[in-house]
Amino acid sequence: MNLDSKIPSGPIEDKWTRHQFESKLVNPANRRKFEVIVVGTGLAGASASAALAELGYRVKTLCTHDSPRRAHSIAAQGGINASKNYQNDGDSVYRLFYDTIKGGDFRAREANVHRLAENSVKIIDHCAALGVPFAREYGGTLANRSFGGAQVSRTFYARGQTGQQLLLGAYSSMMRQVDAGRVNLLPRREMLELVVIDGKARGVIARNIETGEFETHVADAVVLCTGGYGNVFYLSTNAKNCNVTAAWRCYVKGAGFGNPCFTQIHPTCIPQSGDHQSKLTLMSESLRNDGRVWVPKARGDKRPPHQIPLEERDYYLERIYPSFGNLAPRDIASRAAKLQCDDGRGVGETGLAVYLDFADAIKRDSASTIAQRYGNLFQMYDKITGEDPYKTPMRIYPAVHYTMGGLWVDYNLMSTIPGLHVLGEANFSDHGANRLGASALMQGLSDGYFIIPTTIGNYFGSTSLPKVDSSHDAFKQALDDAKSRTQKMLAVKGSQTVDDIHRRIGKIMWDNCGMARNEDSLTRALAEIPKVRESFWSDVRVPGEGVALNQELEKAGRVADFIDLAELMCRDALERKESCGGHFRTEYQTEDNEALRDDANFCHAAVWEFAGTGKAVRNTEPLAFENVKLATRSYK
C-alpha cells in the first residue's frame, strides 16, 4: 500500500499557502462538467456540498435522514476552537497547533494540524457571517471560554447548542445551492458500496431506506463525510444511526484504515442506569469550566453529597493536575475517574460515577449567571435524571464518544483510492491518539469549507477521467454485491435479534478494548469476536422484506460491519505495544498511572489494508516532528 502523505515542502507556516498556489485549478466554466457525490450531511458534508456547489461543481448529496438537520453534528454542545486571541491571554495559531499535537499525544501529522489551526480563524469569521449566534460579551464582541487541554480561552460557543447552530449555518448554505439547482439532495439514502473503475472512485451504490430500492450513482469523485464509529461499543454518546458501513465498504474496496483502535472516552457523561438503555447522554466538557470534580475520600461512602464535608472530599483532578485542574484533557480525566471508581470511591447506586459540583460557582457568580452559560444543559440533566444540578452535584462517568481512527488520507484528504476523499470524523483525522474538546467541529468545517475546494480541484486538474455510466461492469458487480449481502441477511431467519448481537459485541469491546486494554483482554476479544460473527450469519433474525422500509435490516447491515471492525480495532490495539492518548495499555504506564509511549517503535500511524474477512495487513506512515519536540505529555 502506497502511503504518500503528499506533505508540501518548506516551513510549516507556509505549507498550506504554497500548496494552494501549486495545486491545479479548474476553470470556472469547466467546473460544471464535473460531478461530485458527497455522502453525509453533517458539518463536513453540508459545508463541503455548499462550498463545492458555490464553486460551480455539480453535487449530488446523500443523506441518511429525512432532513440534514438531524445529522449527529447537531449534538455537539460545548464549542469550537479558534486561535483569534480575543482574550489577549497568549493564544496564537502556533499555540493551538502545539496544544493539538500535544493533546493527541504526538500521534498526529504536523502539517495537517498546523493547517487546521490556521483555518480556525477563518471558520469563526465565516460562520459569524452566516448568522451563527455565537455568545457575545456585553460590548458585542464574541465570547470565549476554556476547554480541556488548554490554558487559554479560545472556545467559541452558542450556550450548549454550538453544534446545532453551526450545522444550521452549513445547512442553510447547502440549501441555498439546492434551491439554485447545483446540489441534488437525496434524503433517506444509505451508501452500501463504493464503485472503483481503473483504480479510481467513480460512484456509489445506495439503498433508498423508504422504498428498499437500490440505486447507482455515477460521479467523477466521491467525498465521504459519514462520521465516526463509536457505536461499535453499542453504548456511546453517538446517535443510534451513527455507523461505519460506508467507510467499511470503502476499506474493503482498498482504502487504508488508519489507527482504528484510537477511540476517545468522554469523561462527562450521564452514567448508565440499566440494561434498557440504547445510548448514553453527553454533558458538555464546558461544564468543567465551573464544575468541580470530586469523590469522597473514604471508600464506600454512600452519604448524600451535601452531607460530606469539604475536608472529606477529594477534588482529585485539582490535586493530581494542579496546572490544568478540572480542565485536564479528556483521556486523562476519564482514566482518573475510572481509577477513583476502581478504588471503591465512586458514587451513586452502581459506584460507577463521580460528582461534578457547581455549588462554588453558584455561590461565586449566582445561579442566574450559571443558567446563562449552561441552562439548557442543566435542564437536560434534570429531565433525564430527575435531579436538579443547581441544588445537588451532577453524577458523571466516562463513555465512548469520538473516534480518532478512520480512513487514511493524505494532505489532500484523499484516501489510498484516488478520487475518494474523506472528511471530518470519517478520516483518521488531525487528532492523533486523543481529540481535544471543541476540535471536532473545527475539523469538519475546515475540511468542508476550506480544504476540499482546493484539493478536489487539484485532483480534477491532474487526473484523466474517461466518461462512465451505470452500465459499466463495475457498477453491475457492486450492485449485485449489495443486493446479495442484503438477501443473505434476510434469509438467515434465526432466533437472535440484531440488538442482542450488537449488545454482545459492544460488551466484548467495552470490557476488553475500552478505557483500558492489555494483551490478555485483547487476545480474549479476538477469540470471541469470530464466534459473534458466526452467530450473526447463522442465527440472526431480520424480519420483513428488503423492498420496503425495514429498520431491522438497516441495523443488521451496520452490526455486521461493526463485528468486522471490532476485530480490526482489537488487532490494531494489540499490535500497538505502547500507551498513548485514548489507547491505554495497562502494561505500558508510568508509576503515576500515566500513558507510556514508545516513540522508538510506534511513532507512526498504523494503516490497515483489507486482505479478506478477518484478515488485514498492517502498514505504517512514519510521523516526523520537526516543529514540536517529542516529549512526555504532562498536565501537572
Side-chain angles (χ1 to χ4, degrees), residues 362-443:
I362 290 172
K363 183 178 181 181
R364 179 184 67 241
D365 296 330
S366 80
S368 62
T369 299
I370 297 302
Q372 289 176 356
R373 295 173 186 166
Y374 315 110
N376 61 309
L377 298 172
F378 277 42
Q379 291 169 4
M380 184 192 307
Y381 182 88
D382 191 349
K383 188 170 184 178
I384 291 172
T385 66
E387 299 174 2
D388 184 353
Y390 291 102
K391 298 178 180 178
T392 188
M394 292 183 178
R395 289 175 291 108
I396 58 170
Y397 193 69
V400 172
H401 182 51
Y402 188 91
T403 50
M404 285 76 67
L407 295 185
W408 182 92
V409 292
D410 62 16
Y411 193 70
N412 292 316
L413 302 183
M414 191 156 69
S415 72
T416 53
I417 300 175
L420 174 63
H421 298 76
V422 190
L423 278 56
E425 191 179 358
N427 72 30
F428 87 137
S429 79
D430 305 334
H431 308 299
N434 174 58
R435 178 176 69 81
L436 290 184
S439 288
L441 304 180
M442 178 171 59
Q443 188 211 347

Coordinates of all heavy atoms in Angstrom, one line a residue, residues 362-443:
I362 N -21.9 28.7 41.8 CA -23.2 29.4 42.0 C -23.1 30.4 43.1 O -23.6 31.5 43.1 CB -24.3 28.3 42.3 CG1 -24.6 27.5 41.1 CG2 -25.5 29.0 42.9 CD1 -25.6 26.3 41.3
K363 N -22.3 30.0 44.1 CA -22.1 30.9 45.3 C -21.3 32.1 44.8 O -21.5 33.3 45.2 CB -21.3 30.2 46.4 CG -21.1 31.0 47.6 CD -20.4 30.2 48.7 CE -20.2 31.0 50.0 NZ -19.5 30.2 51.0
R364 N -20.3 31.9 43.9 CA -19.4 33.0 43.4 C -20.1 33.9 42.4 O -20.0 35.1 42.5 CB -18.2 32.4 42.8 CG -17.1 33.4 42.3 CD -16.0 32.6 41.6 NE -16.4 32.0 40.3 CZ -16.3 30.7 40.1 NH1 -15.8 29.9 41.1 NH2 -16.7 30.1 39.0
D365 N -20.8 33.3 41.4 CA -21.3 34.1 40.3 C -22.8 34.2 40.3 O -23.3 35.0 39.4 CB -20.9 33.4 39.0 CG -19.4 33.4 38.8 OD1 -18.7 34.3 39.3 OD2 -18.8 32.5 38.2
S366 N -23.6 33.5 41.1 CA -25.0 33.4 41.2 C -25.6 32.4 40.2 O -25.0 32.1 39.2 CB -25.7 34.8 40.8 OG -25.7 35.0 39.4
A367 N -26.7 31.9 40.6 CA -27.4 30.8 39.8 C -27.8 31.3 38.5 O -27.8 30.6 37.5 CB -28.6 30.3 40.6
S368 N -28.2 32.6 38.4 CA -28.7 33.2 37.1 C -27.5 33.3 36.1 O -27.7 33.0 34.9 CB -29.3 34.6 37.3 OG -28.3 35.5 37.9
T369 N -26.3 33.6 36.6 CA -25.2 33.6 35.7 C -24.8 32.2 35.2 O -24.6 32.0 34.0 CB -24.0 34.2 36.4 OG1 -24.3 35.5 36.8 CG2 -22.7 34.2 35.5
I370 N -24.9 31.2 36.0 CA -24.6 29.8 35.6 C -25.7 29.4 34.6 O -25.4 28.7 33.7 CB -24.5 28.9 36.9 CG1 -23.4 29.3 37.8 CG2 -24.4 27.5 36.4 CD1 -22.0 29.3 37.1
A371 N -26.9 29.8 34.9 CA -28.0 29.4 34.0 C -27.8 30.0 32.6 O -28.1 29.4 31.6 CB -29.3 29.9 34.5
Q372 N -27.3 31.3 32.5 CA -27.0 31.9 31.2 C -25.9 31.1 30.4 O -26.0 31.0 29.2 CB -26.5 33.3 31.4 CG -27.6 34.3 31.9 CD -27.1 35.7 32.2 OE1 -25.8 35.9 32.1 NE2 -27.9 36.6 32.5
R373 N -25.0 30.5 31.2 CA -23.9 29.8 30.5 C -24.3 28.4 30.1 O -24.0 27.9 29.1 CB -22.7 29.7 31.4 CG -22.0 31.0 31.7 CD -21.0 30.9 32.8 NE -20.4 32.2 33.2 CZ -19.7 32.4 34.3 NH1 -19.4 31.3 35.1 NH2 -19.2 33.6 34.5
Y374 N -25.1 27.7 31.0 CA -25.3 26.3 30.8 C -26.8 25.8 31.0 O -27.0 24.7 31.2 CB -24.5 25.5 31.8 CG -23.0 25.9 32.0 CD1 -22.6 26.5 33.2 CD2 -22.1 25.7 31.0 CE1 -21.3 26.9 33.4 CE2 -20.8 26.1 31.2 CZ -20.4 26.7 32.4 OH -19.1 27.1 32.5
G375 N -27.7 26.8 30.9 CA -29.1 26.5 31.3 C -29.7 25.3 30.6 O -30.3 24.4 31.3
N376 N -29.5 25.2 29.3 CA -30.1 24.1 28.6 C -29.5 22.7 29.0 O -30.1 21.7 29.0 CB -30.0 24.3 27.1 CG -28.6 24.4 26.6 OD1 -27.8 25.1 27.1 ND2 -28.3 23.6 25.5
L377 N -28.2 22.7 29.3 CA -27.5 21.5 29.8 C -28.1 21.1 31.1 O -28.3 19.9 31.4 CB -26.0 21.7 29.8 CG -25.3 22.1 28.5 CD1 -23.9 22.4 28.7 CD2 -25.4 20.9 27.5
F378 N -28.3 22.0 32.0 CA -28.8 21.7 33.3 C -30.2 21.2 33.2 O -30.6 20.2 33.9 CB -28.9 23.0 34.2 CG -27.5 23.3 34.9 CD1 -26.3 23.1 34.2 CD2 -27.5 23.7 36.2 CE1 -25.1 23.4 34.8 CE2 -26.3 23.9 36.9 CZ -25.1 23.8 36.2
Q379 N -31.0 21.7 32.3 CA -32.4 21.2 32.0 C -32.4 19.8 31.5 O -33.2 19.0 31.9 CB -33.1 22.2 31.0 CG -33.4 23.5 31.6 CD -33.9 24.5 30.5 OE1 -34.0 24.1 29.3 NE2 -34.1 25.7 30.9
M380 N -31.4 19.5 30.6 CA -31.3 18.2 30.0 C -31.0 17.2 31.1 O -31.6 16.1 31.2 CB -30.2 18.2 29.0 CG -30.0 16.9 28.3 SD -28.5 16.8 27.3 CE -28.6 18.3 26.3
Y381 N -30.0 17.5 32.0 CA -29.6 16.6 33.1 C -30.8 16.4 34.0 O -31.1 15.2 34.4 CB -28.5 17.2 33.9 CG -28.0 16.3 35.0 CD1 -27.0 15.3 34.7 CD2 -28.5 16.4 36.3 CE1 -26.6 14.5 35.7 CE2 -28.0 15.6 37.3 CZ -27.1 14.6 37.0 OH -26.7 13.8 38.0
D382 N -31.5 17.4 34.4 CA -32.7 17.3 35.3 C -33.8 16.4 34.6 O -34.4 15.6 35.3 CB -33.3 18.7 35.5 CG -34.3 18.8 36.7 OD1 -34.7 17.7 37.1 OD2 -34.6 19.9 37.1
K383 N -34.0 16.6 33.3 CA -35.1 15.8 32.7 C -34.7 14.3 32.6 O -35.6 13.5 32.8 CB -35.3 16.4 31.3 CG -36.5 15.8 30.6 CD -36.8 16.5 29.3 CE -38.0 16.0 28.6 NZ -38.4 16.7 27.4
I384 N -33.4 14.0 32.5 CA -33.0 12.6 32.3 C -32.9 11.9 33.7 O -33.3 10.8 33.8 CB -31.7 12.5 31.6 CG1 -31.9 13.0 30.1 CG2 -31.1 11.1 31.6 CD1 -30.6 13.1 29.3
T385 N -32.4 12.6 34.7 CA -32.1 12.0 36.0 C -33.1 12.3 37.0 O -33.2 11.6 38.1 CB -30.7 12.4 36.5 OG1 -30.7 13.9 36.8 CG2 -29.6 12.2 35.4
G386 N -33.9 13.4 36.9 CA -34.8 13.8 37.9 C -34.1 14.5 39.1 O -34.7 14.7 40.1
E387 N -32.9 15.0 38.9 CA -32.1 15.7 39.9 C -31.8 17.1 39.4 O -31.4 17.3 38.3 CB -30.9 14.9 40.2 CG -31.1 13.5 40.8 CD -29.8 12.7 41.0 OE1 -28.7 13.3 40.7 OE2 -29.9 11.5 41.4
D388 N -31.9 18.0 40.3 CA -31.7 19.4 40.0 C -30.2 19.8 40.2 O -29.8 19.8 41.4 CB -32.6 20.3 40.9 CG -32.4 21.8 40.5 OD1 -31.6 22.2 39.7 OD2 -33.2 22.6 41.1
P389 N -29.4 20.0 39.2 CA -28.0 20.2 39.4 C -27.7 21.6 40.0 O -26.5 21.8 40.4 CB -27.4 20.1 37.9 CG -28.6 20.4 37.0 CD -29.8 19.9 37.7
Y390 N -28.7 22.5 40.1 CA -28.5 23.7 40.8 C -28.4 23.4 42.3 O -27.8 24.2 43.1 CB -29.6 24.7 40.6 CG -29.6 25.3 39.1 CD1 -30.5 24.8 38.2 CD2 -28.7 26.3 38.8 CE1 -30.5 25.3 36.9 CE2 -28.7 26.8 37.5 CZ -29.6 26.3 36.5 OH -29.6 26.8 35.3
K391 N -29.0 22.3 42.7 CA -29.1 22.0 44.2 C -28.2 20.8 44.6 O -27.9 20.7 45.8 CB -30.6 21.7 44.6 CG -31.5 22.9 44.3 CD -32.9 22.6 44.7 CE -33.8 23.7 44.4 NZ -35.3 23.4 44.7
T392 N -28.0 19.9 43.7 CA -27.2 18.7 44.0 C -26.2 18.5 42.9 O -26.5 18.8 41.7 CB -28.1 17.5 44.2 OG1 -27.3 16.4 44.7 CG2 -28.7 17.1 43.0
P393 N -25.0 18.0 43.2 CA -24.0 17.8 42.1 C -24.5 16.8 41.0 O -25.2 15.8 41.3 CB -22.8 17.2 42.9 CG -23.0 17.6 44.3 CD -24.4 17.6 44.5
M394 N -24.0 17.0 39.8 CA -24.3 16.0 38.8 C -23.4 14.8 39.0 O -22.4 14.9 39.6 CB -23.8 16.6 37.4 CG -24.7 17.7 36.9 SD -24.1 18.2 35.2 CE -25.2 19.5 34.8
R395 N -23.9 13.7 38.6 CA -23.1 12.4 38.6 C -22.7 12.1 37.2 O -23.6 12.1 36.3 CB -24.0 11.3 39.2 CG -24.2 11.3 40.7 CD -25.1 10.2 41.2 NE -26.5 10.4 40.7 CZ -27.0 9.6 39.7 NH1 -26.3 8.6 39.2 NH2 -28.3 9.8 39.3
I396 N -21.4 11.9 37.0 CA -20.9 11.7 35.6 C -20.0 10.5 35.6 O -19.4 10.1 36.7 CB -20.1 12.9 35.1 CG1 -19.0 13.3 36.0 CG2 -21.1 14.1 34.9 CD1 -18.0 14.3 35.5
Y397 N -19.8 9.9 34.4 CA -18.9 8.8 34.3 C -18.4 8.8 32.8 O -19.2 9.2 31.9 CB -19.5 7.5 34.7 CG -18.6 6.3 34.8 CD1 -17.6 6.3 35.8 CD2 -18.5 5.3 33.9 CE1 -16.7 5.3 36.0 CE2 -17.6 4.2 34.0 CZ -16.7 4.2 35.0 OH -15.8 3.2 35.2
P398 N -17.2 8.3 32.5 CA -16.8 8.3 31.1 C -17.6 7.3 30.2 O -18.1 6.3 30.7 CB -15.3 7.7 31.3 CG -14.9 8.1 32.7 CD -16.2 7.9 33.5
A399 N -17.6 7.7 29.0 CA -18.4 6.9 28.0 C -17.7 7.1 26.6 O -17.1 8.1 26.4 CB -19.8 7.3 27.9
V400 N -17.9 6.2 25.7 CA -17.3 6.3 24.4 C -17.9 7.5 23.6 O -19.2 7.7 23.7 CB -17.6 5.0 23.6 CG1 -17.3 5.1 22.1 CG2 -16.9 3.8 24.2
H401 N -17.1 8.2 23.0 CA -17.6 9.5 22.4 C -17.1 9.6 20.9 O -17.9 9.5 20.0 CB -17.0 10.6 23.2 CG -17.5 12.0 22.7 ND1 -18.8 12.3 22.5 CD2 -16.8 13.1 22.5 CE1 -18.9 13.5 22.1 NE2 -17.7 14.1 22.0
Y402 N -15.9 9.9 20.7 CA -15.4 10.2 19.3 C -14.4 9.2 18.9 O -13.7 8.5 19.8 CB -14.7 11.6 19.4 CG -14.3 12.2 18.1 CD1 -15.1 13.1 17.4 CD2 -13.0 12.0 17.6 CE1 -14.7 13.7 16.2 CE2 -12.6 12.6 16.4 CZ -13.5 13.4 15.7 OH -13.1 14.0 14.6
T403 N -14.2 9.0 17.6 CA -13.2 8.0 17.1 C -12.1 8.8 16.3 O -12.5 9.5 15.3 CB -13.8 6.9 16.3 OG1 -14.6 7.5 15.3 CG2 -14.6 6.0 17.1
M404 N -10.9 8.8 16.8 CA -9.8 9.4 16.1 C -9.4 8.6 14.9 O -8.8 9.1 13.9 CB -8.6 9.7 17.0 CG -8.8 10.8 18.0 SD -9.8 10.4 19.4 CE -8.9 9.1 20.3
G405 N -9.6 7.3 14.9 CA -9.3 6.5 13.8 C -10.3 6.7 12.7 O -11.4 7.2 12.9
G406 N -9.9 6.2 11.5 CA -10.8 6.3 10.3 C -10.0 6.0 9.1 O -8.9 5.6 9.1
L407 N -10.6 6.3 7.9 CA -9.9 6.0 6.7 C -8.7 6.9 6.6 O -8.8 8.1 6.8 CB -10.8 6.2 5.5 CG -12.0 5.3 5.4 CD1 -12.8 5.5 4.1 CD2 -11.6 3.8 5.5
W408 N -7.6 6.3 6.2 CA -6.3 7.1 6.0 C -6.5 8.1 4.8 O -7.1 7.8 3.8 CB -5.2 6.2 5.7 CG -3.8 6.9 5.6 CD1 -2.9 7.1 6.6 CD2 -3.3 7.4 4.4 NE1 -1.8 7.8 6.1 CE2 -2.0 8.0 4.7 CE3 -3.7 7.5 3.0 CZ2 -1.2 8.6 3.8 CZ3 -2.9 8.1 2.1 CH2 -1.6 8.6 2.5
V409 N -6.0 9.3 5.0 CA -6.0 10.3 4.0 C -4.6 11.0 3.9 O -3.9 11.1 4.9 CB -7.1 11.4 4.2 CG1 -8.5 10.8 4.0 CG2 -7.0 12.1 5.5
D410 N -4.3 11.5 2.7 CA -3.1 12.3 2.6 C -3.4 13.8 2.9 O -4.5 14.1 3.4 CB -2.5 12.1 1.2 CG -3.4 12.6 0.1 OD1 -4.3 13.3 0.3 OD2 -3.1 12.2 -1.1
Y411 N -2.4 14.7 2.6 CA -2.6 16.1 2.9 C -3.8 16.7 2.1 O -4.4 17.7 2.5 CB -1.3 16.8 2.5 CG -1.2 18.2 3.0 CD1 -1.0 18.5 4.3 CD2 -1.2 19.3 2.1 CE1 -0.9 19.8 4.8 CE2 -1.1 20.6 2.5 CZ -0.9 20.9 3.9 OH -0.8 22.1 4.3
N412 N -4.1 16.0 1.0 CA -5.3 16.5 0.1 C -6.6 15.9 0.6 O -7.6 16.1 -0.1 CB -5.0 16.1 -1.3 CG -3.9 16.9 -1.9 OD1 -3.8 18.1 -1.8 ND2 -3.0 16.2 -2.7
L413 N -6.6 15.2 1.7 CA -7.8 14.5 2.2 C -8.3 13.4 1.3 O -9.4 13.0 1.3 CB -8.9 15.5 2.5 CG -8.6 16.6 3.5 CD1 -9.9 17.5 3.7 CD2 -8.1 16.1 4.8
M414 N -7.3 12.8 0.5 CA -7.7 11.7 -0.4 C -7.2 10.4 0.2 O -6.1 10.4 0.7 CB -7.1 12.0 -1.8 CG -7.7 11.0 -2.8 SD -7.5 11.6 -4.5 CE -5.8 11.6 -4.7
S415 N -8.0 9.4 0.1 CA -7.7 8.1 0.6 C -6.7 7.4 -0.3 O -6.2 8.0 -1.3 CB -8.9 7.3 0.8 OG -9.4 6.9 -0.5
T416 N -6.4 6.1 0.0 CA -5.5 5.4 -0.9 C -6.2 5.0 -2.2 O -5.5 4.4 -3.1 CB -5.0 4.1 -0.1 OG1 -6.1 3.4 0.4 CG2 -4.1 4.5 1.0
I417 N -7.5 5.3 -2.3 CA -8.2 5.1 -3.6 C -8.3 6.5 -4.2 O -9.0 7.3 -3.7 CB -9.6 4.5 -3.4 CG1 -9.5 3.1 -2.7 CG2 -10.3 4.4 -4.7 CD1 -10.8 2.5 -2.4
P418 N -7.6 6.7 -5.3 CA -7.7 8.0 -6.0 C -9.2 8.4 -6.2 O -10.0 7.6 -6.6 CB -7.0 7.8 -7.3 CG -6.0 6.7 -7.0 CD -6.7 5.8 -6.0
G419 N -9.5 9.6 -5.9 CA -10.9 10.1 -6.2 C -11.8 10.0 -5.0 O -12.9 10.6 -4.9
L420 N -11.4 9.2 -4.0 CA -12.2 9.0 -2.7 C -11.6 9.9 -1.7 O -10.5 9.6 -1.1 CB -12.2 7.6 -2.2 CG -12.9 7.3 -0.9 CD1 -14.3 7.7 -0.9 CD2 -12.7 5.9 -0.4
H421 N -12.3 11.0 -1.4 CA -11.8 12.0 -0.4 C -12.6 11.7 0.9 O -13.8 11.4 0.8 CB -12.0 13.4 -0.9 CG -11.2 13.8 -2.1 ND1 -11.5 13.3 -3.4 CD2 -10.1 14.5 -2.2 CE1 -10.7 13.8 -4.2 NE2 -9.7 14.5 -3.6
V422 N -12.0 11.9 2.0 CA -12.7 11.6 3.3 C -12.5 12.8 4.2 O -11.4 13.2 4.5 CB -12.1 10.3 3.9 CG1 -13.0 9.9 5.1 CG2 -12.0 9.2 2.9
L423 N -13.6 13.3 4.7 CA -13.6 14.5 5.5 C -14.2 14.2 6.9 O -14.9 13.3 7.2 CB -14.5 15.6 4.9 CG -13.9 16.4 3.7 CD1 -13.4 15.5 2.6 CD2 -14.9 17.4 3.2
G424 N -13.8 15.1 7.9 CA -14.3 15.1 9.2 C -13.9 13.8 10.0 O -12.8 13.3 9.8
E425 N -14.8 13.4 10.8 CA -14.5 12.3 11.7 C -14.3 10.9 11.0 O -13.7 10.0 11.5 CB -15.6 12.1 12.8 CG -15.3 11.1 13.9 CD -16.4 11.0 14.9 OE1 -17.5 11.7 14.8 OE2 -16.3 10.2 15.9
A426 N -14.8 10.9 9.7 CA -14.7 9.6 9.0 C -13.2 9.4 8.6 O -12.9 8.2 8.3 CB -15.5 9.7 7.7
N427 N -12.4 10.4 8.6 CA -11.0 10.1 8.3 C -10.2 10.0 9.5 O -10.7 10.1 10.6 CB -10.4 11.2 7.3 CG -10.1 12.6 8.0 OD1 -9.9 12.7 9.2 ND2 -10.2 13.6 7.2
F428 N -8.9 9.5 9.4 CA -8.1 9.3 10.6 C -7.6 10.5 11.2 O -6.9 10.5 12.2 CB -7.0 8.3 10.3 CG -5.7 8.8 9.8 CD1 -4.5 8.4 10.3 CD2 -5.7 9.8 8.8 CE1 -3.3 8.9 9.8 CE2 -4.5 10.3 8.4 CZ -3.3 9.8 8.9
S429 N -8.0 11.6 10.6 CA -8.1 12.9 11.3 C -6.7 13.6 11.7 O -5.7 13.0 11.4 CB -9.0 12.9 12.5 OG -8.4 12.3 13.6
D430 N -6.9 14.7 12.3 CA -5.8 15.5 12.7 C -5.5 15.4 14.2 O -4.8 16.3 14.8 CB -6.0 17.0 12.4 CG -6.3 17.2 10.9 OD1 -5.9 16.3 10.1 OD2 -7.0 18.1 10.6
H431 N -6.1 14.5 14.9 CA -6.2 14.5 16.3 C -5.3 13.5 17.0 O -5.2 13.5 18.3 CB -7.6 14.3 16.8 CG -8.6 15.2 16.2 ND1 -8.6 16.5 16.3 CD2 -9.7 14.9 15.3 CE1 -9.6 17.1 15.6 NE2 -10.2 16.1 15.0
G432 N -4.6 12.7 16.3 CA -3.7 11.7 16.9 C -4.4 10.7 17.7 O -5.4 10.1 17.3
A433 N -3.9 10.5 18.9 CA -4.5 9.4 19.8 C -5.5 10.0 20.8 O -6.1 9.2 21.5 CB -3.4 8.8 20.6
N434 N -5.8 11.3 20.7 CA -6.8 11.9 21.6 C -7.3 13.2 21.0 O -6.4 14.0 20.6 CB -6.2 12.1 23.0 CG -7.2 12.8 23.9 OD1 -8.3 12.4 24.1 ND2 -6.8 14.0 24.4
R435 N -8.5 13.4 20.9 CA -9.0 14.7 20.4 C -9.3 15.7 21.6 O -10.0 15.4 22.5 CB -10.3 14.5 19.7 CG -10.9 15.8 19.1 CD -12.2 15.6 18.3 NE -13.3 15.1 19.0 CZ -14.1 15.9 19.7 NH1 -13.9 17.2 19.8 NH2 -15.2 15.4 20.4
L436 N -8.7 16.9 21.4 CA -9.1 17.9 22.4 C -10.5 18.4 22.2 O -11.0 18.4 21.0 CB -8.1 19.1 22.2 CG -6.7 19.0 22.6 CD1 -6.0 20.3 22.5 CD2 -6.6 18.5 24.1
G437 N -11.2 18.7 23.3 CA -12.5 19.2 23.2 C -12.6 20.4 22.3 O -11.7 21.2 22.2
A438 N -13.8 20.5 21.6 CA -14.0 21.7 20.7 C -13.2 21.7 19.4 O -13.1 22.7 18.7 CB -13.9 23.0 21.4
S439 N -12.6 20.5 19.1 CA -11.8 20.4 17.9 C -12.5 19.6 16.7 O -12.2 19.8 15.6 CB -10.5 19.7 18.1 OG -9.6 20.6 18.9
A440 N -13.6 18.9 17.1 CA -14.3 18.1 16.0 C -15.0 19.0 15.1 O -15.0 18.9 13.9 CB -15.2 17.1 16.7
L441 N -15.7 20.0 15.7 CA -16.4 21.0 14.8 C -15.5 21.8 13.9 O -15.7 22.0 12.8 CB -17.2 22.0 15.7 CG -18.2 21.3 16.7 CD1 -18.9 22.4 17.5 CD2 -19.2 20.5 15.9
M442 N -14.3 22.1 14.5 CA -13.3 22.8 13.8 C -12.8 22.0 12.6 O -12.7 22.5 11.5 CB -12.1 23.1 14.7 CG -10.9 23.8 14.1 SD -9.7 24.4 15.3 CE -9.2 22.9 16.1
Q443 N -12.5 20.7 12.8 CA -12.0 19.9 11.7 C -13.1 19.7 10.6 O -12.7 19.8 9.4 CB -11.6 18.5 12.2 CG -10.8 17.7 11.1 CD -11.0 16.2 11.2 OE1 -11.4 15.7 12.3 NE2 -10.6 15.5 10.2

